[in-house]
Amino acid sequence: MNPNQFHPVFTIAALALMPTVGVSCARPAPPRTDFVMGTVCTINLGKKGTEKLYDEAFARLRVLDALLSANSETGNVAEINAGAGLKPVRAAEETLTVLSTALEFSEATNGAFDPTIGPLVKLWGIGLGSERVPPRGEIDQALALAGYRKVDVNRTAGTVYLPEPGMRLDLGAIAKGYAADEIARLLSSRGITSGIIDLGGNILAMGEKAPGKPWTVGIRDPQTSQGGAVMSLQVANRSVVTSGIYERFFEENGRHYHHILDPSTGFPAENELLSVTIISPQSIQADALSTSAFLLGTERGLELVSRYPDTEAVFVDRDLGVRTSEGLRGRVTALDPRFVLHDDD
Ligand code: FAD
Ligand code: MG
């Protein structure tokens, strides 16, 4: 197994909720960690955590994993992919929501973000144990199958049709965000107002750490999949999601190939960036935007982020320069002097 699967993202919740034990209350259940959606997921509800709540949340995560995974042979996305060129396939409400949102980001990025990039993702095999630099001809074939405009979503019939055989959806850039929102909704409906949902570094900080006290979230060193926090910021009721080049990658002949693929070249997106972190009220938006902004680069990425209310971004470039969106100016703390904040640009 690729070791990156255990460290696929950079963002970490630096401070965890420490359960406190009341004199007369039952002892809270410890935070729960499990391997779901190809990554390590942790939910921490502090002193409100119960085994039942954690069971429920992870059961829902596993349902969403089965529905939305491009890697499984069964499940709803797999069924839609199997129906490519053959027939419209009934889509679950969850699939319709995630796919429709993904297609909105395809429009917003002029096709840089493209959930029909599945054949290319499969061809490169990055993080899936089959990584290699594919021959140009195979890249061209995979690219010919992609194209978000070809997807036929029929909301009335509740179906999705991929019109060409071999087409393949991959919702890996957005589905973890949706799943985090779903778990937050589930937990809210059970009366939970504070907690951390961490789906492989796709963080959703529910409420505040304690009344009047925000959460401190760290942004990990984007130069390595194992690094510690190099910056931190305080958030309440926000999702913090990072996309970058050291989440999933392989090296061949001294070259680094990462998993965010540029549909205009068929190769990993190459620009000045190491990573993009998005801070947003909605995790689905944060996930889609982190990948989208990474694909667009700093200038166009900042412009994209500015279109979304209450949404901020941190761009780290290959010289370890850090640019933030306007609303974050003065709110990011550098923990490592190698990272230089360009707050005045
Ligand atoms: P992000 O930046 O959010 O997304 C990058 C991912 O998006 C790529 O890995 C690729 O899948 C896709 N992508 C690449 N280029 C583009 C583009 N231009 N536009 C749109 N999307 C693009 N991993 C496993 O190893 N085994 C599993 O069984 C497995 N199951 C999963 C099930 C689900 C439901 C989900 C959501 C993910 C699963 N994964 C699995 C992980 C998945 O394959 C991706 O690696 C992961 O979602 C990437 O998320 P990220 O936050 O690291 O990067
Ligand atoms: Mg993403």
Side-chain angles (χ1 to χ4, degrees):
M1 179 181 285
N2 183 333
N4 292 316
Q5 287 182 11
F6 291 99
H7 303 279
V9 286
F10 312 142
T11 314
I12 53 163
L15 297 185
L17 264 175
M18 291 304 293
T20 50
V21 184
V23 177
S24 58
C25 298
R27 181 186 286 271
R32 175 88 57 93
T33 297
D34 212 341
F35 198 73
V36 195
M37 298 188 173
T39 191
V40 178
C41 299
T42 299
I43 302 177
N44 187 345
L45 304 177
K47 58 188 176 190
K48 290 275 173 67
T50 65
E51 298 295 353
K52 187 162 174 279
L53 276 175
Y54 289 127
D55 285 349
E56 232 185 316
F58 274 92
R60 180 76 182 127
L61 271 183
R62 275 185 279 274
V63 166
L64 293 174
D65 185 350
L67 271 177
L68 301 172
S69 177
N71 305 86
S72 86
E73 295 303 315
T74 56
N76 200 209
V77 166
E79 279 171 349
I80 292 167
N81 290 343
L86 296 172
K87 56 177 191 308
V89 174
R90 185 157 294 283
E93 199 49 46
E94 293 91 334
T95 312
L96 288 170
T97 301
V98 179
L99 178 58
S100 305
T101 310
L103 295 172
E104 284 168 23
F105 279 90
S106 301
E107 287 289 346
T109 59
N110 232 340
F113 184 97
D114 190 337
T116 65
I117 203 159
L120 192 67
V121 173
K122 197 168 174 220
L123 186 63
W124 280 89
I126 300 175
L128 303 173
S130 52
E131 36 282 282
R132 63 176 181 135
V133 181
R136 185 74 241 179
E138 290 182 35
I139 290 179
D140 289 340
Q141 277 173 15
L143 281 177
L145 289 167
Y148 72 94
R149 289 202 173 92
K150 297 183 208 166
V151 181
D152 183 358
V153 180
N154 187 331
R155 274 269 177 193
T156 320
T159 58
V160 174
Y161 180 46
L162 304 177
E164 294 169 20
M167 281 184 78
R168 196 178 152 85
L169 292 179
D170 184 318
L171 301 174
I174 186 169
K176 274 192 293 177
Y178 173 77
D181 288 332
E182 274 288 290
I183 299 306
R185 275 191 284 272
L186 169 73
L187 293 171
S188 293
S189 76
R190 300 288 183 269
I192 297 294
T193 55
S194 168
I196 293 283
I197 299 160
D198 176 353
L199 309 184
N202 186 120
I203 308 278
L204 193 156
M206 290 178 74
E208 299 177 301
K209 185 168 188 265
K213 227 179 146 216
W215 297 98
T216 301
V217 175
I219 298 175
R220 284 177 64 176
D221 187 347
Q223 301 175 99
T224 157
S225 53
Q226 320 271 334
V230 295
M231 281 171 274
S232 70
L233 65 151
Q234 299 207 309
V235 295
N237 259 323
R238 287 288 183 276
S239 183
V240 182
V241 179
T242 300
S243 286
I245 72 168
Y246 278 88
E247 294 174 8
R248 283 178 178 234
F249 66 94
F250 70 103
E251 274 160 5
E252 197 175 292
N253 297 327
R255 289 206 59 181
H256 178 103
Y257 298 94
H258 64 84
H259 69 147
I260 302 173
L261 304 173
D262 182 345
S264 70
T265 63
F267 274 73
E270 217 170 305
N271 56 32
E272 71 288 357
L273 289 171
L274 284 178
S275 73
V276 179
T277 299
I278 302 289
I279 300 97
S280 159
Q282 265 191 310
S283 199
I284 189 170
Q285 194 181 78
D287 194 1
L289 266 180
S290 68
T291 315
S292 297
F294 186 94
L295 283 154
L296 294 183
T298 310
E299 295 304 329
R300 289 166 62 216
L302 275 167
E303 192 280 316
L304 177 70
V305 170
S306 72
R307 292 187 229 160
Y308 296 84
D310 300 323
T311 300
E312 307 294 345
V314 181
F315 292 76
V316 182
D317 67 34
R318 290 172 188 261
D319 297 325
L320 308 189
V322 181
R323 288 273 303 274
T324 67
S325 53
E326 257 179 55
L328 271 192
R329 301 274 155 90
R331 288 179 51 204
V332 175
T333 307
L335 305 173
D336 181 328
R338 291 172 304 155
F339 291 80
V340 179
L341 282 158
H342 299 303
D343 253 3
D344 309 323
D345 296 357

